[in-house]
Amino acid sequence: MGATGEQIGPARSRERFLGGEPLTGGVRSPIMNSWLRCQSLGLSPDQTELPYRDDFDPDSRLVRAAGPVLDQLASRFAGSPMNVALADAGGTVLERRFGEPDLAHVLPPIQSVPGFVFAERVAGTNGIGLALAERRLVQVYGAEHFAQRSQSSACSATPIRDQLSGDIVGVLCFGYPHSYQDPALAVLVRRAAETVERRLMEQRSARERALLRTYLDAGHLVHGGADTGNGHLMALDELGDSGFGRGDQMILKEKATELICSTQRAAVEVALPHGRGVTLMSRPVTSRSGVEGVVVEAVLTGDAPQLIGDAPQAHHPQQAHHPLPAHHAPSADHPPQAHHPVPGHHPSPARHARPANHVAGPARGLVLVGEPEVGKYAVAARRRLELLAEASARIGTTLDVTRTARELAEMAVPRLADYVTIDVPEAVLRGEESAHPGTELHRAVVHGIRDDCPFYPAGRRVELRAGTPHMRCLDSGRAVLEPDLSTAVGWIDQEPEHARRILDRGVHSLVAVPLLARGVLLGIASFYRSEDPAPFGDDDSRLARELAARAALCIDNARRYTREHTLALALQRSLLPRGMPEQGAVDVAHRYLPAESGVGGDWFDVIPLSGTRVALLVGDVVGQGLHAAATMGRLRTAARNFAELELAPDELLTHLDNLLVRLDREEGGESDSGSTGIVGATCLYAVYDPTSRLCTMARAGHPPPALVHPDGGVSFPELPAGPPLGLGGLPFETAEIRLPEGSTLVLYTDGLIEDRHRDLDVTLDQLSRTLAHRDRTPEDTCRAVMDAVAPDHPEDDIALLVARTRTLPADRVATWDVPADPAQVSGVRAAATRRLTDWGLEEQAFAAELMLSELVTNAVRYGNEPIQVRLILDRTLICEVSDGSSTAPHLRRAANTEEGGRGLFLVAQLAHAWGTRYTPHGKVIWAECALDAA
């Protein structure tokens, strides 16, 4: 079943699924399961970025085995829009081939360049990721892809297995337009994968293949004869209802190793976690070339397993036991024997169909095939490699120094050590480098096989003396091995009583390893052994160094992130308002919450303006880190300066847009030096006038504010959206709203409402319900919104500004219209004096008379009608004179011989502040006089 994005099938089903509707049919189960996994992982269908790795091996065994197969496929698909991808077991693309070579230059990098990761956890539903998750051949059609970028393509993909272990080592994937869909492609991709599997098998040593072939041939003979109860052979991870997980397989392989080393035919019951039981059966086997080994099979308990006779062996004259080839000698890096379960899709004789009248016996799975003499070395090497591989995935999952150190300890216990302590300098915990790491150590982690560890607890300061293994480790920068702690004099002498308590608990051996990364000493990890009577050896020391080296890189990454995060947060907070300015237009409360993963460029501001007005501002710079915080500081400073010029909201946003374009151009010119260019910003700017209750707003790609009416109703005013800042050349629009007295404006950044785990409309409804309360103070509103709406783990900064409006009473505003006649100036002075007397401001009358006289005279002489005078009594006495001219006067120093030019100088001396603002019909000259002025 398949349908493109334009058809109904999966396209409609996918949209319904993303909309939260339950789907009972119409979607194939692998696709539905994948969609659910994508949803639980918080993936977004519109995500466009995939992780890129440059550390993959371009000459690995898998690449060498697949190279000729890929070349043949490219030749077969020549001239067609087909592409072939080879990925490893983690979903990283290793190789690509194209039917049309030009596709490599036309397609985006994620579809043409090796190194991008297509694992389902990051890429959503796709061929490579689904094949790894389903562990079988899969096909994905058009809209079945989770990501929008893949809606126009289809693909067929199948895992590539190691024929010895049955483990998936890679994926082969065909990608093509949906119109090229052909059932033969599924067959072809499976055959190509089998060819790669055979080529991988050919790379194995002759001794491994000989032992495995003898075992498989013996199984074939049994299946071809009478029923002996051997049952059906299958891969270990497919044995039983749900197969064996990685942890179960490790337990079985460890026990099987003991059976191989004993060289005896035996059956042993093994109890697994979760109440499962398995019987391991071992028996010797000899290859045709005389290689002697042991095979261990697993039979589920309850299947009535029985000891069977020795497998048929090749009857040859007695041959000498040949040593391993030189390249296959026992080592920590190359296991010398085959320890592999049989794959589920192995085309061996053991997979042949049985006669119809044959009664199937218990299901069997091969656990290990190996040579007894070298078994213990191979298993030890395999355990070390498995531990290191697992450590790569489990250490460094967060950018937290302490958590990363704990992950190292959890990996080492109990597979390497019984107790682990990790000490780091306090400076490292703060994100800094320590100048004296040996003198300011802080115990970050204590972890062991028991909770009652005999070591000092985490959180304690650690002091080390010269001569102790730990100090030698720190001084030399190399690991220190103490196989017998009871003879480690320096360690005992430091704190004899404490050392005795540790020895009494059975702790007998120590490996101290420095945590070094990029030349920086980050602390020390100490591994202790107590349960295993064998002391630590050189191999253990090397393994501890490998673990510590990997962990140290992760700790250093976390340290650097902590430092940058701390600096960015300090810069961000220093650039935000420390307190709210004095103004009488609104009651204000605010909140700022940084993102968990980094600091962004969100900001807010409250700016008092002339005429009792106030400007409210919120903004959000795209990106995170120091660069975003610094850009935010630039924008906030510029916005305050532009506001001081009394610009209209749309003009102010235009100036900010031009500024950001210039900054972006400057940053772009420095991109070669490593600077990160500015992408853009969003902003909402509102000006509220308490004398008219008029609010003028404009926004640049920012979410609209919420308006809480006095009766508790909530609305979201429809404002022209406007383009984000930084695009340049696009206009902004203003909207005017007359607010009811006592209403509340709620301004916020998108971090409050936008979250990949929540639907935007649902979040806005939740915000509306939270705000729907009467007579709530701005502080209470802030608290309620952050508690109810803000995400628990914010992925973006959150800035919240709540302003409850006030209205200036009408009896505190006096207005007079003035004809353009100089004789009217005296009448204005007299009327103003009477109003000031009514307000009880007789002491301010003289200064106000002089200021009004000068301002009105200038308006009559140099301005145009209509001329208006307004007195406002607020926190200060405000005198305003408006006229129809857009020409503003300028303060200058008049010469001694000039008769005029001193009016504005006089106004500036008498006023607390003065200035000019422009209106659509002219200008306003204003002056403020402090109420306590004499």
Side-chain angles (χ1 to χ4, degrees):
M1 180 196 74
T4 63
E6 292 75 24
Q7 296 175 326
I8 295 178
R12 177 68 58 81
S13 299
R14 178 178 169 278
E15 293 304 319
R16 289 172 54 203
F17 172 83
L18 294 175
E21 297 182 31
L23 301 179
T24 57
V27 180
R28 294 183 291 139
S29 58
I31 302 299
M32 175 56 68
N33 293 336
S34 179
W35 286 357
L36 291 171
R37 290 193 295 267
C38 295
Q39 186 181 55
S40 66
L41 290 169
L43 299 181
S44 172
D46 59 355
Q47 68 180 51
T48 57
E49 295 184 357
L50 293 181
Y52 177 80
R53 295 183 55 187
D54 58 1
D55 59 347
F56 66 92
D57 185 2
D59 193 34
S60 64
R61 292 180 57 248
L62 178 60
V63 174
R64 292 198 304 271
V69 179
L70 297 178
D71 293 338
Q72 292 178 10
L73 291 172
S75 176
R76 179 166 184 165
F77 294 144
S80 69
M82 300 282 294
N83 71 84
V84 183
L86 175 72
D88 64 15
T92 302
V93 174
L94 307 177
E95 288 282 330
R96 285 191 179 275
R97 298 288 191 277
F98 299 92
E100 294 179 358
D102 290 341
L103 286 176
H105 307 290
V106 175
L107 293 175
I110 61 173
Q111 296 180 4
S112 57
V113 178
F116 284 95
V117 181
F118 281 79
E120 189 182 72
R121 67 181 183 278
V122 294
T125 306
N126 69 91
I128 294 174
L130 191 59
L132 291 172
E134 294 289 325
R135 305 178 64 84
R136 59 185 176 88
L137 189 148
V138 297
Q139 292 178 295
V140 185
Y141 309 101
E144 289 182 336
H145 288 89
F146 196 78
Q148 296 284 1
R149 61 170 177 271
S150 306
Q151 296 296 297
S152 61
S153 64
C155 57
S156 299
T158 189
I160 299 173
R161 294 177 180 268
D162 186 319
Q163 291 188 346
L164 283 175
S165 67
D167 295 336
I168 294 175
V169 296
V171 175
L172 187 64
C173 180
F174 291 174
Y176 42 86
H178 187 271
S179 58
Y180 276 69
Q181 172 62 30
D182 190 325
L185 290 176
V187 178
L188 181 60
V189 71
R190 177 63 260 177
R191 290 179 177 174
E194 290 175 351
T195 303
V196 176
E197 290 173 353
R198 287 195 296 272
R199 292 180 58 82
L200 279 171
M201 186 66 181
E202 291 170 1
Q203 297 177 9
R204 295 284 185 177
S205 71
R207 297 173 69 93
E208 291 174 337
R209 294 200 305 273
L211 283 174
L212 180 64
R213 178 51 54 191
T214 301
Y215 168 76
L216 295 176
D217 287 345
H220 172 57
L221 293 174
V222 170
H223 285 186
D227 182 12
T228 63
N230 281 338
H232 182 56
L233 183 64
M234 60 181 61
L236 186 60
D237 62 356
E238 296 176 353
L239 192 62
D241 295 335
S242 58
F244 292 110
R246 184 179 181 86
D248 294 339
Q249 293 187 37
M250 291 179 60
I251 295 174
L252 294 177
K253 288 178 181 180
E254 290 179 2
K255 188 61 180 178
T257 301
E258 301 176 7
L259 296 177
I260 288 178
C261 295
S262 69
T263 71
Q264 299 296 321
R265 185 163 56 93
V268 177
E269 298 287 341
V270 179
L272 297 176
H274 313 299
R276 303 181 69 183
V278 174
T279 298
L280 294 182
M281 303 175 61
S282 67
R283 51 180 171 162
V285 60
T286 303
S287 70
R288 294 179 180 273
S289 61
V291 178
E292 297 180 353
V294 176
V295 297
V296 179
E297 295 176 344
V299 182
L300 286 183
T301 301
D303 285 337
Q306 52 184 326
L307 284 176
I308 58 175
D310 292 344
Q313 302 180 8
H315 297 285
H316 296 287
Q318 184 68 27
Q319 299 181 11
H321 187 86
H322 299 288
L324 287 174
H327 73 278
H328 214 63
S331 72
D333 299 322
H334 199 125
Q337 68 177 127
H339 287 186
H340 310 287
V342 174
H345 299 284
H346 194 291
S348 68
R351 285 293 189 183
H352 290 183
R354 307 173 105 184
N357 60 353
H358 185 86
V359 180
R364 301 179 294 129
L366 177 61
V367 181
L368 291 179
V369 174
E371 299 177 72
E373 295 300 323
V374 295
K376 59 180 180 180
Y377 301 108
V379 171
R382 189 193 73 244
R383 289 178 181 175
R384 287 192 291 271
L385 292 174
E386 287 176 347
L387 180 59
L388 291 174
E390 190 174 349
S392 299
R394 290 182 54 186
I395 297 178
T397 60
T398 66
L399 289 173
D400 180 82
V401 172
T402 302
R403 179 58 202 164
T404 304
R406 173 161 287 277
E407 288 169 346
L408 167 61
E410 291 173 346
M411 280 301 308
V413 175
R415 295 157 68 178
L416 172 62
D418 297 312
Y419 298 98
V420 175
T421 65
I422 299 178
D423 306 319
V424 298
E426 294 182 3
V428 173
L429 297 176
R430 299 192 300 267
E432 304 169 2
E433 294 184 15
S434 174
H436 306 285
T439 60
E440 56 173 23
L441 287 176
H442 173 91
R443 177 138 297 174
V445 175
V446 177
H447 184 62
I449 56 176
R450 290 190 298 269
D451 293 335
D452 56 339
C453 293
F455 304 95
Y456 289 131
R460 174 168 175 159
R461 187 179 180 87
V462 178
E463 297 182 1
L464 301 177
R465 295 181 184 176
T468 63
H470 305 82
M471 185 55 73
R472 298 202 314 270
C473 171
L474 291 174
D475 290 341
S476 65
R478 296 191 297 268
V480 172
L481 171 63
E482 285 286 355
D484 188 358
L485 279 177
S486 63
T487 62
V489 179
W491 176 74
I492 295 176
D493 289 346
Q494 174 167 284
E495 292 187 64
E497 293 185 5
H498 182 60
R500 182 57 55 192
R501 287 196 298 270
I502 293 176
L503 292 173
D504 290 343
R505 292 291 188 92
V507 177
H508 59 79
S509 187
L510 162 70
V511 176
V513 185
L515 297 174
L516 280 168
R518 304 180 179 98
V520 179
L521 183 58
L522 303 170
I524 182 173
S526 303
F527 302 85
Y528 297 88
R529 179 170 287 177
S530 63
E531 299 298 314
D532 189 343
F536 284 123
D538 291 336
D539 287 344
D540 299 312
S541 179
R542 284 193 291 268
L543 179 57
R545 292 201 304 269
E546 286 287 342
L547 285 175
R550 300 184 185 211
L553 284 175
C554 296
I555 290 175
D556 192 48
N557 291 337
R559 178 191 65 82
R560 293 179 175 218
Y561 167 79
T562 300
R563 178 176 180 272
E564 180 177 345
H565 180 77
T566 302
L567 290 176
L569 184 58
L571 175 62
Q572 173 84 335
R573 293 193 181 279
S574 69
L575 295 175
L576 290 173
R578 298 291 182 90
M580 290 295 100
E582 293 185 4
Q583 48 80 35
V586 291
D587 293 325
V588 178
H590 57 86
R591 290 290 189 277
Y592 170 74
L593 181 65
E596 280 194 349
S597 59
V599 178
D602 291 19
W603 88 94
F604 61 90
D605 212 343
V606 177
I607 308 171
L609 302 177
S610 64
T612 71
R613 299 171 305 133
V614 66
L616 305 174
L617 177 68
V618 291
D620 182 3
V621 175
V622 175
Q624 289 186 336
L626 289 171
H627 186 265
T631 303
M632 177 274 290
R634 291 177 172 182
L635 285 179
R636 177 174 176 251
T637 300
R640 293 188 68 90
N641 292 335
F642 293 146
E644 292 290 339
L645 297 176
E646 303 282 0
L647 298 179
D650 56 338
E651 295 180 33
L652 183 139
L653 293 182
T654 299
H655 283 281
L656 289 180
D657 183 46
N658 294 334
L659 172 64
L660 201 55
V661 169
R662 290 195 300 271
L663 291 177
D664 200 5
R665 190 179 300 118
E666 294 172 3
E667 294 288 343
E670 300 175 359
S671 59
D672 294 339
S673 63
S675 176
T676 303
I678 302 170
V679 177
T682 66
C683 184
L684 172 63
Y685 185 73
V687 176
Y688 173 68
D689 187 346
T691 64
S692 62
R693 296 187 282 106
L694 194 65
C695 185
T696 306
M697 293 180 279
R699 63 187 179 117
H702 201 84
L707 175 59
V708 184
H709 297 268
D711 60 358
V714 179
S715 63
F716 294 87
E718 295 184 2
L719 306 180
L725 301 177
L727 297 182
L730 298 177
F732 300 93
E733 300 180 57
T734 61
E736 292 185 347
I737 302 174
R738 197 169 301 276
L739 303 180
E741 182 177 355
S743 55
T744 300
L745 271 177
V746 180
L747 288 69
Y748 50 88
T749 55
D750 57 5
L752 178 68
I753 59 173
E754 294 184 7
D755 183 68
R756 64 179 181 176
H757 303 292
R758 303 183 298 176
D759 183 81
L760 178 59
D761 292 335
V762 174
T763 306
L764 288 175
D765 290 341
Q766 186 179 12
L767 175 61
S768 181
R769 291 192 302 270
T770 303
L771 295 174
H773 289 272
R774 299 177 55 185
D775 301 327
R776 180 186 275 171
T777 65
E779 183 64 30
D780 291 340
T781 300
C782 277
R783 187 180 302 109
V785 169
M786 297 302 291
D787 291 343
V789 184
D792 296 331
H793 304 283
E795 300 174 353
D796 193 7
D797 287 15
I798 297 174
L800 176 66
L801 183 63
V802 178
R804 187 168 64 183
T805 62
R806 296 175 179 175
T807 302
L808 195 66
D811 59 0
R812 299 177 68 176
V813 179
T815 305
W816 299 277
D817 294 325
V818 181
D821 182 0
Q824 301 297 320
V825 176
S826 61
V828 172
R829 291 200 303 266
T833 301
R834 291 192 298 271
R835 180 52 63 95
L836 292 175
T837 300
D838 295 339
W839 286 344
L841 300 177
E842 292 85 353
E843 295 182 0
Q844 283 78 20
F846 177 74
E849 276 190 72
L850 288 179
M851 289 189 296
L852 284 176
S853 180
E854 293 296 333
L855 295 178
V856 173
T857 300
N858 283 340
V860 170
R861 287 182 177 180
Y862 309 111
N864 301 325
E865 291 186 310
I867 301 174
Q868 189 179 76
V869 175
R870 188 168 70 157
L871 290 179
I872 303 174
L873 176 59
D874 191 37
R875 294 177 301 107
T876 60
L877 176 64
I878 303 171
C879 304
E880 294 183 346
V881 177
S882 63
D883 66 81
S885 172
S886 59
T887 302
H890 297 281
L891 180 65
R892 66 185 180 89
R893 182 178 295 276
N896 293 333
T897 58
E898 292 182 296
E899 295 183 0
R902 298 176 178 82
L904 283 181
F905 179 78
L906 181 61
V907 171
Q909 296 301 309
L910 294 174
H912 174 70
W914 76 280
T916 303
R917 70 173 182 268
Y918 294 93
T919 68
H921 308 291
K923 66 177 180 298
V924 177
I925 309 297
W926 58 269
E928 291 186 6
C929 184
L931 295 181
D932 57 356

